[in-house]
Amino acid sequence: MARHSRYVPLRPAGVAVTELLTQAQFSAGNTRDGLLAKTCSLLQSMGYKPVEWRVETIGERTGSIWLIAE
């Protein structure tokens, strides 16, 4: 059985980002996409430029979330 990904902030400013990613990990479809959009908006407000995201799914479950930001 696959285990969910864990997101760990490296700095205090990343706590909100990891919370959104964790919620997205346990969500599906439009809900997950909305949470990832919020994550990108938050990253932009912190001075990062989100480039893309990818979601790997296993059936209906979220496998991995790849979020790339510069």
Side-chain angles (χ1 to χ4, degrees):
M1 177 163 110
R3 296 178 188 223
H4 291 286
S5 296
R6 293 183 58 198
Y7 305 95
V8 179
L10 298 179
R11 292 180 274 195
V15 170
V17 172
T18 60
E19 289 173 355
L20 286 168
L21 288 173
T22 298
Q23 289 176 32
Q25 179 73 41
F26 289 97
S27 300
N30 291 334
T31 302
R32 179 183 52 228
D33 292 347
L35 289 164
L36 290 173
K38 285 183 183 181
T39 304
C40 288
S41 293
L42 179 58
L43 286 168
Q44 283 182 316
S45 74
M46 298 168 79
Y48 294 95
K49 179 183 173 190
V51 177
E52 71 176 287
W53 80 59
R54 293 182 185 201
V55 178
E56 295 176 350
T57 58
I58 303 166
E60 295 294 319
R61 293 186 32 219
T62 303
S64 297
I65 298 172
W66 298 84
L67 177 59
I68 300 165
E70 297 176 335

